[in-house]
Amino acid sequence: MLRDELSRGAAELAAAGCESPRLDAELLLAEALGVSRAQLVIGGRDPVHAGALDRFGELLARRRAREPVAYILGRREFRRLTLEVDSRVLIPRPETELLVEVVWSW
């Protein structure tokens, strides 16, 4: 079941010392399935096909190796934009979003 795989993935990431294991597992499983995080909650009892499980395992391995989730997914939300990211760029931080808000309010 989907929720079981999500719990397993979160436990693996927690054991690896990731700071936000549940969130990371949700994002990675959603990516492997090609669905939104909301659909993970709605479909919690749904089975997960073998191809998605394999993909989820690959994504988890990268995260356990401490690769940032944004690099794994290839994108990062910033304000109302979806930015493409990879190891050649810095990942926008939440503080940067706040800084942009402050500058724009002047």
Side-chain angles (χ1 to χ4, degrees):
M1 264 193 284
L2 196 146
R3 68 177 176 199
D4 296 333
E5 292 304 322
L6 183 58
S7 294
R8 180 187 60 78
E12 283 184 29
L13 295 179
C18 294
E19 292 180 17
S20 53
R22 178 67 183 206
L23 173 61
D24 294 355
E26 288 175 2
L27 292 169
L28 298 176
L29 183 56
E31 178 72 12
L33 293 169
V35 301
S36 69
R37 283 179 58 213
Q39 289 172 299
L40 290 180
V41 174
I42 294 168
R45 294 178 187 255
D46 293 347
V48 183
H49 60 85
L53 281 178
D54 291 343
R55 179 73 177 133
F56 184 45
E58 293 167 5
L59 299 176
L60 285 173
R62 290 174 65 183
R63 184 64 187 124
R64 281 193 314 269
R66 296 305 233 247
E67 185 175 350
V69 172
Y71 290 164
I72 296 169
L73 300 178
R75 65 186 178 278
R76 175 64 179 237
E77 302 296 321
F78 182 77
R79 300 190 38 78
R80 289 172 280 281
L81 302 172
T82 301
L83 304 174
E84 290 184 27
V85 297
D86 63 25
S87 61
R88 298 172 295 174
V89 300
L90 296 174
I91 300 168
R93 298 183 48 84
E95 297 84 4
T96 308
E97 203 165 323
L98 177 61
L99 181 62
V100 168
E101 290 292 332
V102 169
V103 170
W104 279 356
S105 70
W106 284 7

